[in-house]
Amino acid sequence: MYSAKLERLLKSAGASIGDRVTVTKDGHNYSGTVLQRPDLGDGDALVIKLDNGYNIGLRPEALTVEKPAAHLGMGKTKAPTVAFRPDKPAIALIASGGTIASRVDYGTGGVSAIEDPREFLFNVPELADTVNIRNLVKPFTKMSEDMDHTDWIALAKAAAKELAGGEGVIITHGTDTLHYTAAALSFMLPSLPKPVILLGAQKSSDRGSSDAGMNLVCAAHAAISDIAEVAVCMHGTMNDDHCLLIRGTKARKMHTVRRDAFRPVNDTPLAKIWPSGKIDKINRQARKRSDGEVVLDIKFEPKVAIVKAYPGSDPTVIDYLVSKGYKGFVIEAMGLGHVPTFAGRSWIETIKRHTKDGIPFVTTSQTIYGRINADVYTNLRMLYHGANAIPGEDMLTETAYVKLGWVLGHSADQAQVRKMMLTSVAGEISERSRSDTFLA
Amino acid sequence: MYSAKLERLLKSAGASIGDRVTVTKDGHNYSGTVLQRPDLGDGDALVIKLDNGYNIGLRPEALTVEKPAAHLGMGKTKAPTVAFRPDKPAIALIASGGTIASRVDYGTGGVSAIEDPREFLFNVPELADTVNIRNLVKPFTKMSEDMDHTDWIALAKAAAKELAGGEGVIITHGTDTLHYTAAALSFMLPSLPKPVILLGAQKSSDRGSSDAGMNLVCAAHAAISDIAEVAVCMHGTMNDDHCLLIRGTKARKMHTVRRDAFRPVNDTPLAKIWPSGKIDKINRQARKRSDGEVVLDIKFEPKVAIVKAYPGSDPTVIDYLVSKGYKGFVIEAMGLGHVPTFAGRSWIETIKRHTKDGIPFVTTSQTIYGRINADVYTNLRMLYHGANAIPGEDMLTETAYVKLGWVLGHSADQAQVRKMMLTSVAGEISERSRSDTFLA
């Protein structure tokens, strides 16, 4: 509830919470949607969600409110039905939540989940020109920050099942953890005859400037292409010109909000894909579509942890996690693969103690780009040869984490785990790190 | 010691460990330096360090060894004396170790520290054309992975002292933790009338392709410029054309080995600097050289930890660290600033429990680029408004970590800590995140 003064202002304009209004204050006009008053102790202010997604609070003094004629596309929409086009190549869509499956909630001003996944196809009618979405499934309902290995397994199972009856699968996903899931599916679907394409959106699909539509259309083209990989399909640039198709083990979200946040790390993209359907293949080694069987391999050990090593960091966190039953570690190390070594709190001594008990330690670099070096400095040789840590080559931390869980699901034998971690199973280790995909 | 067979081969060529040789095996020629046999259980092999820095092991069968005429610049060099040029602007050089102050050790094949910091100036005679290095100090001897707040304090003290008698200071440093130190000095020298420039090298200064020389010369130009900031000066591109001068709180090592690994994050560079002395100022808000006093503010609380939140992660690590006396946390969160929330292991509930006891939690994003959003999703509002976490805006994890230690060194009052963490003290928070410095 707003103050009596603001309630009067709204009432005189015929507006209420959730309505689109134009307000004037100090000579400025603002158009947006009236939100409930947030309980933030900010005093009396009318809160409007602007079209750019930001909220603005306006004090009641000298404020005018107008309610324009009904505005198409904003506000509450009915769940539409998705168009099925049996004449087009058939794919399945697996919806797992996230911004792409959300819409602005004009009650709270936040973003909340769409219940019926068909709803977010409403704004992308051109999807029906490319593919026939023969099945639309939603294996679970949760926020992507709460997903874990059980959800990766559910998605891998759903993808394997849906691939049987169509040309490919697209999976919509929250962007914040999308690359963890993409890596997990890459390992859990080790033999893959058809494309499994993950995508998300940085802005919810009911927003005019959403990236959801183009990502969906490009992902649909990828799903019927001959690139049989688990891959991420998201905007390649800030402009709405093309998407990048990035190998699931080499993709990383590198910006909180930019639509081109997903970048290939130490790898080229598999392809550029335009909404028109044009595909420019960049990686010629990508797996090709085939008549083979889908292999589903979901054995997974969840007791794996990522621990970051940094100046002044405390290695006893590792002892604590081992005491809680953790069976493997990814150490996000400094630069070439360094950890602090000084007496009394030496990471090398701690790691050595636990590798002797058969617990594997894999290192990745905080630099994100580049490759671990196990030799060039004395301390590196002590860590990798003396203490038996496994250099994670040019793997992403996220990928190494998911991979170690998957490898430990298959074997606890130290030599076998080392061998599997150092072998590229799903393109996660490049023979030579590509430096031409680095930063501007 | 090598096997008798290899020792004979070496002896007949007149070569011994540390000598440069050319060897032939299976029709291939290799030039490099004979290393001691590493004790890695690899059997009998002659180990050569190649000019590209890699080691190669060669079995004795059908191996020939030749020792070419003496080769200038490789092998053991005498510590030279640095040229002092009283007619040039005076600066001080503080050496803190790292690759730039290392050389290839032809005994072990690794890289080891130069004892006399003057030695690495030997290969950069052009430095004397720009500046007079009036003092050269080495406050401690340790590897950069072992540096912590005590070393940051020692460097801040040394910089404050050396600034008194010259135009500026340059600090040579290992690259892996250089950005932690740069952030620390930015806070510990809050009022700075002259430049404090940090630099390192990705290849040791005795290597022909080292980046040390150009970084040193550009840093010297920065140290006598009118930009009075703590800043990092390293290669701007893969080519040896110019360096970037990056604010100490906004620099991050983004590649394990590339010479242009240091990038400005959510910020423009302060300037581009050419070895010729040309300076192209990009950030017009940079602090200008003045007659003011150096302020040294080294109060620091070391019991601060970085903890990474990721799918399936265990928040009880926080409880463990609190039980060990930790007084503040930087949570490296997912995407916009998310942590797992599900019942039984909710990060939000864990954080709420500890903020109630007055322990601050600051979040940063794993995406590195972009800004934390405290509002757009329900779970974000629960974390930042309900559980009182402090959104780290667009601060780097490393910078937020160092800043929280520095802030807690000044106040344990929750409201005061929050206020200081949300206020830009040393350019660490941008008003609007710059997206034009993002990835290619």
Side-chain angles (χ1 to χ4, degrees):
Chain A
M1 281 292 287
Y2 283 105
S3 66
K5 189 168 184 180
L6 282 174
E7 288 288 345
R8 272 197 307 276
L9 259 174
L10 287 171
K11 197 173 173 190
S12 67
S16 55
I17 286 161
D19 280 345
R20 191 171 170 78
V21 294
T22 300
V23 297
T24 310
K25 167 105 181 163
D26 301 335
H28 294 283
N29 293 320
Y30 305 94
S31 288
T33 306
V34 180
L35 302 183
Q36 280 177 4
R37 186 182 165 216
D39 187 20
L40 302 177
D42 288 338
D44 194 27
L46 182 68
V47 185
I48 304 289
K49 175 166 278 296
L50 302 176
D51 292 348
N52 63 10
Y54 288 97
N55 297 349
I56 187 170
L58 299 157
R59 306 271 172 216
E61 294 77 28
L63 184 71
T64 65
V65 179
E66 274 180 71
K67 185 182 173 192
H71 176 85
L72 263 177
M74 297 295 290
K76 300 131 197 160
T77 51
K78 290 264 178 284
T81 52
V82 61
F84 290 93
R85 290 277 301 266
D87 56 317
K88 297 289 177 189
I91 65 168
L93 192 154
I94 301 172
S96 75
T99 300
I100 193 167
S102 300
R103 59 172 163 172
V104 176
D105 181 331
Y106 296 102
T108 65
V111 174
S112 59
I114 289 172
E115 285 307 307
D116 184 338
R118 284 173 296 186
E119 188 176 334
F120 66 85
L121 300 178
F122 179 65
N123 293 318
V124 197
E126 63 271 38
L127 200 58
D129 297 334
T130 306
V131 290
N132 174 31
I133 297 184
R134 54 170 281 281
N135 203 6
L136 207 158
V137 292
K138 194 179 173 189
F140 48 78
T141 301
K142 62 168 75 176
M143 302 305 286
S144 73
E145 63 266 31
D146 283 340
M147 289 177 63
D148 64 11
H149 69 287
T150 60
D151 306 297
W152 303 335
I153 290 171
L155 287 175
K157 284 181 173 171
K161 184 179 166 206
E162 296 300 327
L163 279 180
E167 300 292 306
V169 162
I170 62 182
I171 301 175
T172 61
H173 200 289
T175 58
D176 287 354
T177 64
L178 194 153
H179 48 303
Y180 290 90
T181 300
L185 296 186
S186 302
F187 297 111
M188 291 178 176
L189 297 166
S191 178
L192 189 67
K194 297 172 184 175
V196 172
I197 310 298
L198 292 105
L199 76 145
Q202 294 280 62
K203 284 194 175 177
S204 61
S205 54
D206 63 336
R207 300 265 291 278
S209 58
S210 174
D211 48 331
M214 190 177 110
N215 292 347
L216 267 170
V217 170
C218 291
H221 288 299
I224 58 174
S225 77
D226 71 342
I227 301 174
E229 297 265 359
V230 175
V232 174
C233 188
M234 296 280 289
H235 269 60
T237 70
M238 288 271 269
N239 304 320
D240 293 331
D241 48 9
H242 68 267
C243 285
L244 288 185
L245 192 68
I246 310 171
R247 192 167 255 156
T249 52
K250 288 296 200 186
R252 190 176 192 281
K253 185 174 179 179
M254 292 297 297
H255 197 285
T256 53
V257 294
R258 275 176 63 139
R259 51 186 60 203
D260 59 348
F262 280 85
R263 310 313 302 170
V265 174
N266 299 325
D267 200 8
T268 55
L270 294 168
K272 289 183 183 178
I273 302 188
W274 280 259
S276 66
K278 178 184 159 192
I279 297 183
D280 179 5
K281 283 192 206 172
I282 297 171
N283 183 332
R284 298 273 154 196
Q285 271 77 54
R287 269 188 305 208
K288 295 261 185 328
R289 182 183 287 276
S290 74
D291 296 329
E293 290 285 309
V294 187
V295 173
L296 180 68
D297 183 349
I298 54 172
K299 292 192 285 285
F300 199 88
E301 168 54 63
K303 282 289 200 184
V304 170
I306 302 172
V307 181
K308 198 178 179 99
Y310 52 88
S313 56
D314 186 339
T316 66
V317 166
I318 294 169
D319 300 323
Y320 166 73
L321 288 167
V322 169
S323 78
K324 281 200 71 181
Y326 277 77
K327 297 188 168 69
F329 291 86
V330 174
I331 305 295
E332 203 171 47
M334 298 176 278
L336 286 173
H338 280 293
V339 294
T341 69
F342 45 72
R345 43 176 177 162
S346 166
W347 284 65
I348 293 183
E349 291 310 312
T350 302
I351 289 169
K352 194 172 187 173
R353 214 162 1 93
H354 295 297
T355 56
K356 275 188 181 157
D357 292 337
I359 294 177
F361 285 77
V362 181
T363 60
T364 56
S365 179
Q366 285 167 37
T367 62
I368 300 181
Y369 292 86
R371 184 181 290 268
I372 295 292
N373 184 313
D375 294 296
V376 72
Y377 288 94
T378 306
N379 280 341
L380 293 173
R381 291 194 299 278
M382 283 171 59
L383 175 59
Y384 297 103
H385 302 299
N388 253 317
I390 303 167
E393 300 290 350
D394 70 335
M395 272 189 283
L396 285 165
T397 301
E398 294 85 346
T399 299
Y401 166 63
V402 167
K403 182 178 179 182
L404 186 55
W406 184 80
V407 165
L408 285 172
H410 292 75
S411 175
D413 176 72
Q414 205 165 4
Q416 181 65 12
V417 169
R418 170 177 284 267
K419 191 180 162 196
M420 287 176 81
M421 287 308 296
L422 292 173
T423 305
S424 190
V425 177
E428 71 277 15
I429 298 173
S430 316
E431 254 188 84
R432 283 197 56 186
S433 293
R434 302 292 305 236
S435 57
D436 52 355
T437 58
F438 187 50
L439 319 168
Chain B
M1 281 293 285
Y2 283 106
S3 66
K5 189 168 185 181
L6 281 174
E7 289 288 344
R8 271 199 307 276
L9 259 174
L10 286 172
K11 196 174 175 189
S12 67
S16 55
I17 286 161
D19 281 345
R20 192 171 169 79
V21 294
T22 300
V23 296
T24 310
K25 168 104 181 166
D26 299 337
H28 295 282
N29 293 319
Y30 306 93
S31 288
T33 306
V34 180
L35 301 183
Q36 281 176 3
R37 186 180 166 217
D39 187 21
L40 302 176
D42 287 338
D44 194 27
L46 182 69
V47 185
I48 304 288
K49 174 164 281 291
L50 303 176
D51 293 346
N52 63 11
Y54 288 97
N55 298 348
I56 187 170
L58 299 156
R59 305 273 172 213
E61 293 77 28
L63 184 70
T64 65
V65 179
E66 274 180 71
K67 186 182 171 192
H71 176 84
L72 264 177
M74 297 294 292
K76 300 131 197 162
T77 52
K78 290 263 178 284
T81 51
V82 62
F84 290 93
R85 289 277 301 264
D87 57 316
K88 297 289 176 188
I91 64 168
L93 192 153
I94 302 172
S96 76
T99 300
I100 193 167
S102 300
R103 58 173 163 172
V104 176
D105 181 330
Y106 295 102
T108 66
V111 174
S112 59
I114 288 172
E115 284 308 307
D116 184 339
R118 285 174 295 187
E119 188 176 334
F120 66 85
L121 301 178
F122 179 66
N123 293 316
V124 197
E126 62 271 38
L127 201 56
D129 298 334
T130 305
V131 290
N132 174 31
I133 297 184
R134 54 169 281 279
N135 204 6
L136 207 157
V137 291
K138 194 178 175 189
F140 47 79
T141 301
K142 61 168 74 176
M143 302 304 287
S144 73
E145 63 266 30
D146 283 339
M147 288 176 64
D148 65 10
H149 68 286
T150 61
D151 305 298
W152 303 335
I153 290 171
L155 287 176
K157 283 181 174 172
K161 183 179 167 207
E162 295 301 327
L163 279 180
E167 300 292 308
V169 162
I170 61 182
I171 301 175
T172 61
H173 200 289
T175 58
D176 286 354
T177 63
L178 193 153
H179 49 304
Y180 290 91
T181 299
L185 296 186
S186 303
F187 296 113
M188 291 179 177
L189 298 167
S191 176
L192 190 66
K194 297 172 183 175
V196 172
I197 310 299
L198 293 105
L199 76 146
Q202 294 279 63
K203 283 196 175 174
S204 60
S205 54
D206 64 336
R207 301 264 290 278
S209 58
S210 174
D211 48 333
M214 190 176 110
N215 293 346
L216 267 170
V217 170
C218 291
H221 287 300
I224 58 174
S225 77
D226 71 341
I227 302 174
E229 298 264 0
V230 175
V232 174
C233 187
M234 296 280 290
H235 268 61
T237 69
M238 288 272 268
N239 305 321
D240 294 330
D241 48 8
H242 68 267
C243 284
L244 288 185
L245 192 68
I246 309 170
R247 192 166 255 157
T249 52
K250 288 297 202 185
R252 191 177 192 281
K253 186 174 179 180
M254 292 297 296
H255 197 285
T256 53
V257 293
R258 275 176 63 140
R259 52 186 62 203
D260 59 347
F262 280 84
R263 311 313 302 170
V265 174
N266 299 325
D267 200 8
T268 54
L270 294 169
K272 289 183 185 178
I273 302 189
W274 280 259
S276 66
K278 179 184 158 191
I279 297 184
D280 180 4
K281 283 191 207 171
I282 296 171
N283 183 333
R284 298 273 154 196
Q285 272 77 54
R287 268 189 305 209
K288 296 261 186 326
R289 182 184 288 276
S290 74
D291 296 328
E293 289 285 309
V294 187
V295 173
L296 181 66
D297 184 350
I298 55 173
K299 292 192 283 286
F300 199 88
E301 168 54 64
K303 281 289 201 183
V304 170
I306 303 171
V307 181
K308 198 179 179 100
Y310 51 88
S313 55
D314 186 339
T316 67
V317 166
I318 294 169
D319 300 324
Y320 167 73
L321 288 168
V322 169
S323 79
K324 281 201 72 182
Y326 277 78
K327 297 188 168 68
F329 291 86
V330 173
I331 304 296
E332 203 171 46
M334 297 176 279
L336 286 172
H338 280 292
V339 294
T341 69
F342 45 71
R345 43 177 176 160
S346 167
W347 283 65
I348 293 183
E349 291 308 313
T350 301
I351 290 169
K352 194 172 188 173
R353 213 163 0 93
H354 296 298
T355 56
K356 275 187 182 158
D357 293 338
I359 295 177
F361 286 76
V362 181
T363 59
T364 56
S365 178
Q366 285 167 40
T367 61
I368 298 180
Y369 292 86
R371 185 181 288 269
I372 295 292
N373 184 314
D375 295 296
V376 71
Y377 289 94
T378 306
N379 279 341
L380 293 174
R381 290 195 299 277
M382 283 172 59
L383 175 59
Y384 297 102
H385 303 299
N388 253 316
I390 303 167
E393 299 291 349
D394 68 338
M395 271 188 284
L396 285 165
T397 300
E398 294 84 347
T399 298
Y401 166 62
V402 167
K403 182 178 180 182
L404 185 56
W406 183 79
V407 165
L408 285 172
H410 291 75
S411 175
D413 175 73
Q414 206 165 4
Q416 181 65 12
V417 169
R418 170 177 284 268
K419 191 181 161 195
M420 287 176 81
M421 288 308 297
L422 292 173
T423 304
S424 190
V425 176
E428 72 277 15
I429 297 173
S430 317
E431 254 187 84
R432 284 196 58 186
S433 293
R434 302 292 306 236
S435 58
D436 52 356
T437 58
F438 188 50
L439 319 169

